[in-house]
Amino acid sequence: MPVADRRPQSTARRSTLRIVRESELLGAALSARHSRENLVLEARFLRDDLPYYVELLAEVASSTKYQRTPRSCIALAPR
């Protein structure tokens, strides 16, 4: 699943909606980007929320739930 939408995906413990809502309530900004060799997960948050975001980013990096996208939703580029 591409990271183009710039949001973390669901994990075994938290849904995408829960991750986004909790982060908004805490005043944080989450983003993700990738290249051929790297996946970068980034969170900007208040210093007091460090333990929460260390756990969250570790969970997103290690136990993301990948879901198959229906073929009708995949845009295929002409060759």
Side-chain angles (χ1 to χ4, degrees), residues 51-68:
Y52 172 80
Y53 285 101
V54 168
E55 178 187 344
L56 176 66
L57 291 174
E59 185 178 327
V60 168
S62 65
S63 60
T64 297
K65 287 184 357 184
Y66 294 99
Q67 299 173 359
R68 184 174 292 270

Side-chain angles (χ1 to χ4, degrees), residues 34-48:
H34 65 90
S35 67
R36 289 180 85 185
E37 295 142 1
N38 301 310
L39 171 62
V40 179
L41 302 172
E42 182 177 20
R44 295 178 184 205
F45 52 86
L46 299 173
R47 183 179 305 151
D48 295 340

Side-chain angles (χ1 to χ4, degrees), residues 28 30 37 70-71 73:
L30 300 174
E37 295 142 1
R71 272 208 166 307
C73 295

